[in-house]
Amino acid sequence: MDAKRRDVAPLLLDWYDRHRRDLPWRARAGETPDPYRVWLSEVMLQQTTVATVRPRFAAWIRRWPTFADLAAAGDEDVMAAWAGLGYYARARNLLAAARTIARDHGGRLPDSEAALRALPGFGDYTAAAVAAIAFGRRAVVVDANVERVVARLFAIREPLPGARRAIRAAAGTITPDTRAGDFAQGMMDLGSAICTPRKPRCLLCPIATACDALAAGTPEAFPVRKPKAARPHRHGTIFWLERDGAVLLVRRPDTGLLGGMRALPTGAWSDAPPGLTGAPADAAWQVLDERVHHGFTHFTLDLALAVARTHHAVNTGEWWPIARLDEAGLPTLFAKAAEIVRRAER
């Protein structure tokens, strides 16, 4: 390794010791990290901002402060607590992993990458992050912030996502044998505060002297990305069916988007507006003028809202009191729809 690469870890760790973020899941200097908090935060922070996660993390810890507490929680309670954090499969995996840890590991996380990867929901990134941050193991931790820092540091010209193998290999050349967890968190903080996607603050960067992209005068050109393909656009209808001050909710299938969550009934999402196809009951449906627009990672969605009242039984779902609808843990998409209906009925 050349001299400037050897300098990266000491320079970064010195900067991290002086500028580390104070985060509720992060151990302070001299403290022993709590593996439960490290793991929970890493899962919550996947494609979610720190500002969003802070209050949700605090509420979660108050309710389920240990692996054992989470392992004993009900599926519905956990899914409701996760509402608004996206990717509900992560919540299902959290619960499955907590139960595995309580049952098979004496309530403690294994401390090696290999053993962690055997747990539900632990991919390469999560296993490496927990091994390094919670247990001090040398592990190469690459999240989106680290990916950007390393791509610039080494001026890796291959476009993402194909460049990820080269970025990980390059990150491995600068990851130290000691303080790997602090190094990983320092790289994350650097990417968040200084080596930002736009207008990186290179004059403040502690490892600027080692950065090939800065030397070339083009730090914002990295990481290289292929042009984004247009996301497909789909249509659907959400059905709001009232009876005696309650609204009909259904449980979505365990697999697929928003799996296992309570939701308002909806027909299939298709390339063309489906109208009232898939309505949960034969009723005098009225379609509101306002629609719900929502974006998922791989497609966008435009949903009509159909409302009706009934006095008859329905063969599916459950009747949930409208006055307590906020307690149902509806995913953001359906919470948007509920707010539109409430506004229309005022």
Side-chain angles (χ1 to χ4, degrees):
M1 188 191 309
D2 61 50
K4 73 174 183 177
R5 302 300 184 215
R6 286 197 302 270
D7 288 342
V8 167
L11 291 171
L12 183 76
L13 288 168
D14 179 65
W15 174 85
Y16 177 70
D17 288 340
R18 290 180 286 114
H19 299 286
R20 57 190 290 159
R21 286 181 289 180
D22 183 14
L23 300 173
W25 46 84
R26 182 176 285 179
R28 292 182 173 87
E31 292 181 344
T32 301
D34 179 345
Y36 176 70
R37 287 174 173 246
V38 171
W39 165 62
L40 176 61
S41 68
E42 287 299 334
V43 177
M44 283 189 166
L45 286 165
Q46 291 172 24
Q47 298 191 344
T48 310
T49 65
V50 168
T52 297
V53 168
R54 272 183 186 270
R56 305 298 296 276
F57 178 87
W60 190 289
I61 288 293
R62 285 194 299 270
R63 190 170 185 181
W64 299 301
T66 68
F67 289 109
D69 294 315
L70 181 56
D75 292 46
E76 291 185 5
D77 291 337
V78 170
M79 297 302 288
W82 192 264
L85 288 170
Y87 291 99
Y88 290 91
R90 300 203 310 254
R92 292 194 294 273
N93 284 330
L94 270 174
L95 191 53
R99 290 172 177 169
T100 301
I101 292 160
R103 184 185 65 242
D104 300 339
H105 298 278
R108 295 185 177 184
L109 268 179
D111 64 1
S112 71
E113 277 189 85
L116 288 166
R117 276 196 294 268
L119 294 171
F122 275 79
D124 289 343
Y125 167 76
T126 304
V130 172
I133 298 168
F135 301 111
R137 301 287 191 182
R138 186 192 184 278
V140 180
V141 182
V142 182
D143 71 351
N145 280 318
V146 177
E147 183 176 84
R148 182 169 59 258
V149 172
V150 173
R152 289 172 175 171
L153 192 64
F154 290 83
I156 295 173
R157 298 188 177 280
E158 183 183 358
L160 290 173
R164 291 200 168 111
R165 184 186 297 271
I167 289 172
R168 181 175 176 81
T173 68
I174 58 173
T175 299
D177 293 332
T178 59
R179 297 190 67 189
D182 285 346
F183 180 80
Q185 291 175 109
M187 290 285 277
M188 294 172 190
D189 284 5
L190 186 71
S192 174
I194 291 178
C195 195
T196 50
R198 296 180 180 85
K199 297 183 179 178
R201 303 162 70 193
C202 299
L203 290 176
L204 299 178
C205 180
I207 57 174
T209 55
C211 183
D212 289 345
L214 178 60
T218 57
E220 288 190 68
F222 299 91
V224 179
R225 300 181 185 276
K226 291 181 179 178
K228 285 186 177 180
R231 287 186 293 176
H233 189 65
R234 296 180 185 171
H235 302 266
T237 303
I238 292 177
F239 297 96
W240 177 279
L241 185 62
E242 287 188 31
R243 188 183 76 174
D244 300 329
V247 63
L248 182 68
L249 299 182
V250 296
R251 183 75 63 180
R252 292 185 62 81
D254 286 338
T255 57
L257 282 171
L258 312 176
M261 297 297 297
R262 286 193 186 97
L264 295 165
T266 176
W269 298 343
S270 54
D271 292 335
L276 299 178
T277 302
D282 186 9
W285 294 102
Q286 293 185 332
V287 178
L288 301 182
D289 291 335
E290 191 170 355
R291 294 174 175 268
V292 178
H293 306 285
H294 195 76
F296 292 104
T297 302
H298 300 298
F299 65 94
T300 57
L301 189 59
D302 184 56
L303 294 161
L305 276 167
V307 300
R309 287 178 171 82
T310 186
H311 299 290
H312 304 293
V314 177
N315 294 329
T316 186
E318 59 183 321
W319 294 101
W320 193 277
I322 295 172
R324 293 176 40 230
L325 192 57
D326 292 345
E327 301 172 20
L330 294 180
T332 302
L333 165 62
F334 296 100
K336 287 181 185 177
E339 180 57 28
I340 291 171
V341 173
R342 285 168 161 175
R343 286 203 306 266
E345 292 183 345
R346 286 172 190 161

